[in-house]
Amino acid sequence: MSELSSNATNVLRLSDITMQFGGVVAVNSLSLEINKNEIVSLIGPNGAGKTTAFNVVTGVYAPTNGAVYFNGEEIVENYPRGKMKKLYAGTERGKYSKVIEPTPDKITKLGIARTFQNIRLWKSQSVFDNILIAKHCRRTSNFLTATFRLNRAEERRQREEVSELLNIFGLYDVRNELCASLPYGQQRRLEIARALATKPQLLLLDEPAAGMNPQETLELTDFIQQIRDDFRLTVFMIEHHMDLVMNISDRIYVLNFGALISKGTPAQVQNDPVVISAYLGEDKNA
């Protein structure tokens, strides 16, 4: 697949991303772009490589080959090295030559935040502290200023910002409770609130509706659109609930066995025979 053209409105651009584990190619030459303020979904069957792609964007994995651009700046690049020179089974060999491998904390500081397929909260901490801890990545204090409490104004401001987030997410009344005691739906909201506490420009949501009932999923649809608008975010989402995906997405990319098989608007993807066969299922009675 040819490299996508750069666009001034691109928030995220993946260029020929390949992720190979030993002899298994989990993602093969994935190229996509997400523009400012869009909600874009990445869908596909289980094991298609969706979360792997998220892990490359957020620095959990260094790709085997390819590059990632954020707001026009290259933030990730890699190429087959060491034993992978012989094992490499992906495409675009020789196209990339640099090694840029930021850690997840550096990716977060750039302005990319994520939630996880399985909720990952600090369960022994209160609701309030879960969000406050996430604020640490934006602190300007150091050991000296913290020791002599010279950072009190910043700390006060961050605590006020946490209270504001809790109000927006309807969690202020349970701010002092342990997050493990919250109902599942509230834990999902808390995880999103914690991600927003890092002040991202791009929010990655990995199956946010997992485990939710139809009513909760419907409420989540409105909620994601609300936070996109209120926080002026760009949202990149993995999701299996097709009603949610089709109702909320500006555009959709479809993966199957690690390769991109379709892209377009919800209507285009929904009516693509390749997608129907690979993911949505064919109507054998038709």
Side-chain angles (χ1 to χ4, degrees):
M1 182 176 294
S2 62
E3 186 176 347
L4 294 169
S5 60
S6 179
N7 187 310
T9 63
N10 286 168
V11 172
L12 181 71
R13 182 162 66 93
L14 274 57
S15 181
D16 305 309
I17 288 297
T18 296
M19 189 69 233
Q20 184 171 334
F21 301 96
V24 178
V25 181
V27 177
N28 192 0
S29 196
L30 174 62
S31 294
L32 58 79
E33 59 187 15
I34 301 174
N35 299 319
K36 188 174 181 180
N37 298 131
E38 281 190 312
I39 297 177
V40 175
S41 292
L42 183 64
I43 68 172
N46 289 328
K50 304 181 297 298
T51 296
T52 299
F54 266 31
N55 286 338
V56 168
V57 172
T58 55
V60 177
Y61 298 149
T64 311
N65 197 46
V68 178
Y69 299 83
F70 180 59
N71 287 329
E73 298 292 328
E74 187 178 34
I75 63 170
V76 173
E77 183 175 331
N78 207 353
Y79 63 96
R81 295 174 286 146
K83 294 181 180 179
M84 192 53 66
K85 285 183 178 180
K86 293 183 179 180
L87 289 174
Y88 187 65
T91 60
E92 307 299 339
R93 180 191 289 269
K95 185 173 180 179
Y96 300 90
S97 59
K98 292 186 293 185
V99 176
I100 306 173
E101 299 178 345
T103 53
D105 60 305
K106 291 180 179 178
I107 294 289
T108 301
K109 288 180 180 178
L110 287 174
I112 300 175
R114 72 173 295 181
T115 64
F116 293 86
Q117 188 173 351
N118 299 313
I119 296 175
R120 298 185 185 181
L121 296 170
W122 292 291
K123 296 188 177 181
S124 62
Q125 300 292 323
S126 70
V127 170
F128 189 96
D129 286 343
N130 259 270
I131 301 180
L132 183 61
I133 291 170
K135 283 281 183 187
H136 287 185
C137 75
R138 297 297 175 200
R139 283 195 173 180
T140 59
S141 60
N142 54 37
F143 175 78
L144 183 64
T145 58
T147 299
F148 292 98
R149 296 302 308 276
L150 301 177
N151 63 332
R152 282 177 293 182
E154 181 180 50
E155 184 176 334
R156 182 171 59 253
R157 187 187 72 251
Q158 289 193 336
R159 296 183 74 88
E160 289 171 353
E161 290 172 353
V162 170
S163 294
E164 184 179 357
L165 276 172
L166 290 170
N167 271 315
I168 292 171
F169 280 73
L171 296 170
Y172 188 79
D173 289 344
V174 294
R175 64 191 180 281
N176 295 320
E177 294 185 20
L178 293 180
C179 66
S181 68
L182 298 183
Y184 184 84
Q186 285 190 325
Q187 288 190 34
R188 279 288 180 192
R189 282 186 171 237
L190 176 57
E191 191 180 35
I192 296 174
R194 186 181 62 181
L196 292 181
T198 67
K199 297 186 176 180
Q201 299 173 51
L202 173 64
L203 177 62
L204 278 62
L205 301 175
D206 193 347
E207 296 194 33
M212 291 188 174
N213 61 43
Q215 180 59 36
E216 289 172 331
T217 302
L218 183 62
E219 293 171 357
L220 180 67
T221 302
D222 295 335
F223 186 63
I224 292 174
Q225 290 174 320
Q226 178 188 339
I227 61 175
R228 186 270 304 269
D229 296 339
D230 291 351
F231 289 87
R232 299 180 180 179
L233 287 171
T234 302
V235 178
F236 189 23
M237 180 177 68
I238 295 172
E239 187 51 68
H240 284 292
H241 284 69
M242 285 298 100
D243 287 344
L244 172 59
V245 169
M246 295 301 168
N247 287 334
I248 203 174
S249 304
D250 295 304
R251 292 184 299 111
I252 300 171
Y253 288 90
V254 188
L255 281 181
N256 193 29
F257 295 108
L260 186 65
I261 61 170
S262 183
K263 61 181 181 179
T265 65
Q268 289 170 331
V269 167
Q270 194 171 29
N271 292 294
D272 187 334
V274 177
V275 177
I276 294 171
S277 176
Y279 184 54
L280 300 177
E282 293 182 299
D283 184 357
K284 295 182 180 181
N285 296 319

